[in-house]
Amino acid sequence: MPPTDNQGSFLNRISIRRNQVAYEHEVEDLEQFQKHVADRLSELFHPPEDTPAGEPPETAILSIAWFRKLLDAFLCCEAEFKAVVIMGRDAHNFSKSPLDRLIPDHLDRTVKALDICNAITHGIDLLLHWQKLAQIAVDSLRQKPITEGHVTRAKKALNTLLSSITIDDKENHHHGGKSTAAPSKDHTTIGNLKSLAYPFAKSWSASKQIQAMSSNLTAPRGGEPTGLVVPVHLMSSVLVFVMWAMVAAIPCQERTGLGAHLQLSKQFSWAQPMIGLQDKIGEQWKKKEKKGRSGLLEETQRLEKLGRSLVEFAEGFVFPVEVEKEEEVAAMVGEMGEICREMEEGLVALHMQVRELFNRIVRSRAATLDVLDQLNKMTTPVPY
């Protein structure tokens, strides 16, 4: 029996309600996604309050532990973004303006992010090499009594370390790790360590990659139809920020002017902690940027400071060492040994996270391209 007009009207109302419920769920999911991002960034912005006075907090901004938390947060955000925005999405949504422009722009950023991930993995290899040099010095200076042989071995390792840390970024990595500066008789550079050579063209620049990623990162305007524009802009912003922060801290090829290459919109709640973090890192960059800075990583800076002090001790070494001086050196060696331990454990884990980040970006790109491929098939005329 055909439905009456009343029945038809009732079914239409049910359909509208169901669509409305689905829309409300989608809006709620997108709002929750933005809130979760804001919460994770806020946790990164506020350091723990239970750190003993006088000690650097374990998760101080720009420390290895902090970067591990940053990548954990990003991977969580990326998984949620993929679930809420990409998976099961009606391809027609991506054909509407401005998503038809924002999605390809985001995909272009992910390609550049993959290059940066490769650069970061090589930078971590270099950091692990520095850690090994510092460990040689630690093992030598822990000997009792400290003899001239121990001091000579430690001094050689520390001079190699300091030479590598302070060498000009651009010249160092553009020449496969070879220094163009003339080392002193006590300085050896990382020179022929081919494993640390960067697999990029001489013209490749981490700074220019960041600049290209952020150049068209503009805040969305009101009135967009799908509700997906803000989440896409959010994910692009977080991606650019994470890459920028890693390049600022970890040795990378050519980073001139990096501090000026990131512009983030201020109109969203999730942007506030990210801008706060950017300001803190930017202040450090401006304060410590000079020829030869090999990144703002907390452990690198502490290692360099201790290394210089221990080289001063080595250059003025007289056997036997005075008791007071021996205690002072033992304290510095103990601190350097602790940094070495933190670097060895933390950098291996960070290396794995960067690889996971690379693979995750590749998979998300593939999922997004699948949706766009569906859209192309739907819009391509069928030949008769």
Side-chain angles (χ1 to χ4, degrees):
M1 180 172 127
T4 64
D5 289 343
N6 287 338
Q7 285 176 318
S9 176
F10 172 74
L11 292 174
N12 286 337
R13 288 200 303 273
I14 291 294
S15 177
I16 290 171
R17 285 175 184 172
R18 284 176 177 169
N19 289 336
Q20 184 177 358
V21 168
Y23 174 76
E24 289 173 353
H25 277 306
E26 179 176 302
V27 169
E28 184 180 346
D29 287 344
L30 293 172
E31 288 177 349
Q32 283 295 313
F33 169 57
Q34 294 181 62
K35 182 180 183 302
H36 292 164
V37 173
D39 290 344
R40 291 181 183 114
L41 291 171
S42 294
E43 289 174 6
L44 289 164
F45 182 66
H46 298 289
E49 298 178 355
D50 56 351
T51 303
E55 293 185 16
E58 209 174 72
T59 51
I61 291 177
L62 297 172
S63 67
I64 295 170
W66 185 83
F67 274 101
R68 291 189 60 194
K69 290 193 172 186
L70 175 67
L71 292 192
D72 275 341
F74 179 83
L75 290 171
C76 290
C77 293
E78 192 279 335
E80 199 167 339
F81 172 78
K82 185 177 176 182
V84 172
V85 177
I86 305 299
M87 302 306 294
R89 178 63 56 186
D90 183 350
H92 283 297
N93 286 316
F94 290 175
S95 67
K96 299 174 183 178
S97 178
L99 277 181
D100 60 342
R101 174 181 56 82
L102 293 179
I103 293 293
D105 284 350
H106 179 69
L107 290 175
D108 182 63
R109 289 187 189 96
T110 61
V111 172
K112 293 178 173 61
L114 294 176
D115 276 348
I116 292 174
C117 284
N118 281 330
I120 293 298
T121 58
H122 283 272
I124 292 173
D125 287 341
L126 181 55
L127 289 170
L128 285 167
H129 177 62
W130 292 348
Q131 181 269 332
K132 288 181 175 66
L133 290 170
Q135 189 64 56
I136 290 172
V138 168
D139 293 343
S140 298
L141 295 176
R142 275 180 173 165
Q143 303 301 316
K144 292 188 182 298
I146 301 176
T147 66
E148 188 169 346
H150 299 138
V151 171
T152 299
R153 188 165 186 260
K155 182 181 176 183
K156 183 177 180 180
L158 290 171
N159 276 328
T160 303
L161 168 65
L162 294 172
S163 177
S164 182
I165 286 178
T166 58
I167 199 169
D168 178 71
D169 246 343
K170 187 172 183 179
E171 291 180 345
N172 182 22
H173 298 310
H174 281 189
H175 292 78
K178 293 183 181 181
S179 168
T180 58
S184 71
K185 64 180 181 180
D186 292 321
H187 282 231
T188 52
T189 66
I190 58 175
N192 295 320
L193 289 173
K194 294 181 180 179
S195 62
L196 300 179
Y198 276 62
F200 300 108
K202 290 182 179 180
S203 60
W204 191 89
S205 161
S207 182
K208 288 179 181 176
Q209 289 287 94
I210 298 294
Q211 187 177 27
M213 290 177 72
S214 61
S215 61
N216 58 348
L217 189 64
T218 54
R221 299 174 181 176
E224 58 86 14
T226 65
L228 299 177
V229 169
V230 172
V232 172
H233 174 71
L234 182 162
M235 202 62 221
S236 281
S237 298
V238 175
L239 177 67
V240 173
F241 170 74
V242 169
M243 295 299 144
W244 175 82
M246 287 200 298
V247 167
I250 295 170
C252 276
Q253 180 170 304
E254 213 288 294
R255 296 179 293 187
T256 305
L258 183 68
H261 286 169
L262 194 59
Q263 298 295 325
L264 299 171
S265 55
K266 300 179 180 180
Q267 66 192 73
F268 304 105
S269 61
W270 49 262
Q272 299 309 313
M274 188 157 52
I275 291 171
L277 288 167
Q278 179 197 351
D279 289 344
K280 283 192 173 187
I281 296 170
E283 287 171 9
Q284 291 294 310
W285 184 266
K286 290 175 184 176
K287 186 188 304 182
K288 297 174 181 178
E289 184 177 20
K290 62 180 180 181
K291 183 176 181 180
R293 290 308 307 183
S294 288
L296 298 177
L297 193 70
E298 174 79 16
E299 287 80 3
T300 303
Q301 294 186 63
R302 291 166 61 199
L303 211 59
E304 182 182 6
K305 183 178 178 181
L306 287 166
R308 293 193 183 285
S309 296
L310 288 172
V311 166
E312 286 181 14
F313 160 74
E315 289 175 343
F317 175 74
V318 177
F319 184 83
V321 183
E322 295 177 3
V323 175
E324 186 177 337
K325 191 65 178 178
E326 187 174 14
E327 291 175 353
E328 181 184 341
V329 170
M332 289 190 287
V333 170
E335 185 179 349
M336 182 174 277
E338 181 60 24
I339 296 170
C340 287
R341 185 192 63 77
E342 292 171 5
M343 290 181 73
E344 184 176 19
E345 294 176 1
L347 288 173
V348 170
L350 185 64
H351 198 288
M352 293 175 64
Q353 281 179 297
V354 174
R355 285 190 175 186
E356 172 59 22
L357 174 61
F358 182 98
N359 292 330
R360 190 77 69 82
I361 291 172
V362 169
R363 290 196 294 268
S364 287
R365 272 184 55 80
T368 306
L369 290 170
D370 283 345
V371 176
L372 294 179
D373 187 51
Q374 294 172 26
L375 178 62
N376 291 333
K377 289 178 181 177
M378 287 187 288
T379 56
T380 302
V382 179
Y384 289 96

